[in-house]
Amino acid sequence: MEIDDEAPLSDSVTIAISLSPSSSSYSSSSSSCSASVVPLSFSPLQQTAESPPFRPLRMSESGGMLSLAGWSHDGERLRFLDAEGNEWGNVVNRFNQLATVKGGRNGHQEVVKWSDFGSCIGMGETAEFGKEVLRAMRGGRRDWKRDITKSELHSYWCRMTDPWLDSRILLFFDLCDRNMDGRIDEREMKQVISLISPINKLALKNKEAEEYAALIMEALDLQHRGYIQASEFEALCKASLPKGSSTISYQKNHGQQQEPISKAEILFRSYWRRTWIIGLWLTICFALFTWKFIQYSHRAAFQVMGYCLSTAKGAAETLKFNMALILLPVCRNTITWLRNNPGLNSVIPFNDNINFHKVIAGGIVIGIILHGGTHLACDFPRISGSDRSVFRQTIAANFGYQQPSYFQILSTTEVASGIAMVVLMMIAFPLATKWPRRQSPSLPKSVRKVTGYNTFWYSHHLFVPVYALLIVHSMFLFLTDNLVEKTTWMYIAIPVLLYAGERITRAIRSGFSEVEILKVSLYPGKVLSLKLQKPKGFRHKSGMYIFIQCPQISPFEWHPFSLTCGPEDDYLSVHIKTLGDWSCQLYSLFEEAILTGLKQYPKIYIDGPYGASSQDHIKYDIVIMVGLGIGITPFVSILKDIATRLKKSSINHAACGEGSLEKIPLKAYLYWVTREQSSFNWFTDVMKEIADTNQKEAVVEVFNFLTSVYQEGDARSALITIIQSLYQAKYGIDIVSRTPLHTQFGRPNWFNIFSKLARRHRGARIGVFYCGPMTLARELEKLCTKFSTKTSTIFVFHKENY
């Protein structure tokens, strides 16, 4: 089946079939499908109770074809083995590892147990399916559970990798034909469905397996014989395995194509805001260092300590600046307020506030090493070991005219306070890094016990004594009694007051923000959904997040969660997945309250809302949103916002037509990738609302990917895909997500997706928003740069950072 480049995306599914009733036996060389086609068209999104009932597909008298739109494919049809890693040489290697030597009529030969067949051919994770394939190739004989020789294994491998599709279809038919009588009845079909569902980690009830088996028989057993034959099964498989991909269609732009721009220009466009901020920061640090370095090079103390003193004092000046600056990126209220200014938001990368906070922390580490290291290793030894006459002529007055020893210097207030600061920072800094904060499995078990988000949160508040020690440290200096030169307080006064004001404001605001819990839902995968009463005066934009505190767990801990409600909703909602100790405790508290029937839920306080990178979706006419698992949450409020605005526009187009669409994308694509089928239950209502909205105006296109199911085209998922297409054609509902939105299997081919979007939106500037692990973030960012360089479409990458 070829996909027309000009064809728009459609929600309808078309089925057409015509099979030859006279064809009762399978033929791999003479199958015919050249006669008339009887089309039946269903629009799943418009299916109602009054719609005509689903009718069996009629056969014509001359050969046939069945077409099921909506099943994408990666180029190989009905493959039993993946090409990568399953060449014959690799199969032989696995055979040799598992083989034992046994004697027989033909002498001693190497064999493997029949139960190891799946491991030999690369189906180790789905051994049961491998056994069924072996049973089918051995004709279902009573002795099919016998050892396998290398020559037999080679013949089986050849059949599974046969380039002729007809041969592989026959093997698939034999696999479904449990009693090997050349027919598949409803009971056998149900058995196969029940076999492949757990292999693909799909939850399937016995009643559903019966329903799906009956659906296939209804579609193919048109003469009501109670079975289907190979010819009918062949037509179903061939038509359900299209060549090419229907992941996303695109339209050709027949206008003049722009010339691709250079990589340097793309990098400049993508990173110029970060670059000038970092450049300005480095320039200021370098200027402060140089200023103090030169200043102390002309002091009397230079004769004693030399360039060690200049280096230490230069580093100290950068430390003052950075200790003040590091507080600004975490002043969330201030940043949320500033980012509402279009002018500032266009030149300052507010979305990178946490990353900039980390960069400044790195600058502080370097400053500490230079300042503290040169003092301890160079300056202090030179003071205690300098010539007495030089000491008297230069810095003796600063030490009461008594030359101190090294340990006397260490015991002074300024040095002791400095060492105490370094010790506290040595505790807080490592615990704030990614591995301890997320309790990485690569850490020793003993270390993991004392790490995690809670440890990070509490240790980070050591900054309070650090700043107190910093003031003490700055007021007791060896080399000067001049208050004008004691400038630390000048650097940190405004940032500390601003940050303290923010914390006080947040404490007061959250103290009055105990919210009533309207509804609690527990979803599979340990996801907690809270529907909260919206506080009076609470206003937010789509893409924002709030902080949540549960005093029953801790009166100090606040954790950020994306709002999953639209700005127009009269309630607030969040979805919390148990990924850490705090979220696990929160889930347990609400689970206990529900199971025991308590009338009162645990108290919840909120703080916010705060801005996030997802807010920038209003800057683009075309938006791509990519969420992995629970990473879809920042985009749910955006979807709701778009749906609400479109409804308002359709109700009163004259009054709010362009005005309502002015702040939403003209086209939005959502790619939700998850490994668990139960994840789709989290936002069933939202997906149905989007599907309903798309009937009137297809602004949002949603692509769900379930990675637990084998890639489309794999024999282990082929029957599921057939059932999925038939069921959606009949009822307008996807069997996986239980919404009108189609679910695709396996991982997305991001290169193909970006390629087709670049062709569909030539010359456009597309915002790519992502929430999930860093591994995919790097891949998507590289693809954004690559396609922005090679095509006329500009992709701008944004990642959520909390």
Side-chain angles (χ1 to χ4, degrees), residues 253-273:
N253 185 348
H254 295 288
Q256 186 175 0
Q257 184 177 355
Q258 300 178 10
E259 288 294 326
I261 57 181
S262 67
K263 187 172 183 178
E265 185 176 350
I266 291 299
L267 292 174
F268 174 77
R269 288 187 181 185
S270 300
Y271 301 110
W272 72 268
R273 296 193 301 167

Side-chain angles (χ1 to χ4, degrees), residues 142 276 309 414 462 478 520 547 553 561 637 702 734:
R142 293 182 179 179
W276 88 261
L309 174 64
E414 51 267 54
L462 291 173
F478 305 135
V520 177
F547 279 84
I553 300 175
F561 298 98
S637 63
V702 179
D734 182 76

